[in-house]
Amino acid sequence: MQINRTGSAQWSGGLKDGKGQISTQSGALKHYPYGFSSRFEGIPGTNPEELIGAAHAGCFTMALSLILEEAGLKATDMETTAKVTLESVESGFAITAIHLTLTGTVPNADERTFIELANKAKAGCPVSKALSAVPISLDVKLA
């Protein structure tokens, strides 16, 4: 089985004065603005790092749901945040770290088991695998 998904970007102008728009195949984002100011200056709009973070948090949480079910558990609630760190390095800018923070409510699960299964999901989720060149850390809290 092969699944293909697409995202696209349009850009006009230079780096600092330019403006862009990001779209997704599903239409969840359609011509959504991004640019230098939304990436580096905190101005409203999106940026590649927060999109990577959202994708990683979503993929990891879905993977964990599967792993929990395989262990005979089911979460009533899980919330994951992915903090993607962009830093200036010798060769320019680079994503230097991703930190996942998970809080979950899982009836009949103990904290040790939940942490173990969450680490399994972190290692196995397709987005984690794609981002494996970057250190990925994880904090887990059972609510």
Side-chain angles (χ1 to χ4, degrees):
M1 179 167 104
Q2 182 181 36
I3 299 169
N4 296 298
R5 303 285 187 234
T6 60
S8 61
Q10 176 276 326
W11 188 267
S12 302
L15 175 63
K16 287 190 176 183
D17 69 344
K19 294 185 188 313
Q21 299 176 359
I22 292 176
S23 298
T24 58
Q25 176 182 341
S26 68
L29 296 174
K30 187 169 183 165
H31 307 296
Y32 199 85
Y34 82 109
F36 184 88
S37 60
S38 65
R39 192 171 193 187
F40 296 103
E41 298 172 346
I43 302 299
T46 194
N47 56 72
E49 292 73 32
E50 77 175 7
L51 295 171
I52 289 169
H56 198 180
C59 183
F60 163 77
T61 308
M62 285 182 76
L64 180 53
S65 176
L66 171 64
I67 290 168
L68 287 168
E69 283 187 346
E70 290 173 345
L73 300 166
K74 187 179 253 184
T76 56
D77 184 56
M78 291 190 289
E79 291 189 29
T80 304
T81 301
K83 179 182 173 185
V84 177
T85 302
L86 178 69
E87 292 185 280
S88 178
V89 296
E90 286 183 22
S91 60
F93 280 88
I95 293 174
T96 57
I98 300 171
H99 183 73
L100 299 169
T101 302
L102 165 68
T103 302
T105 304
V106 184
N108 304 315
D110 61 72
E111 190 166 2
R112 187 181 126 280
T113 300
F114 189 51
I115 291 169
E116 178 184 311
L117 296 176
N119 276 297
K120 186 176 176 182
K122 178 180 76 104
C125 109
V127 173
S128 288
K129 290 176 183 178
L131 299 173
S132 63
V134 177
I136 301 169
S137 57
L138 172 63
D139 282 332
V140 178
K141 180 182 175 192
L142 190 57

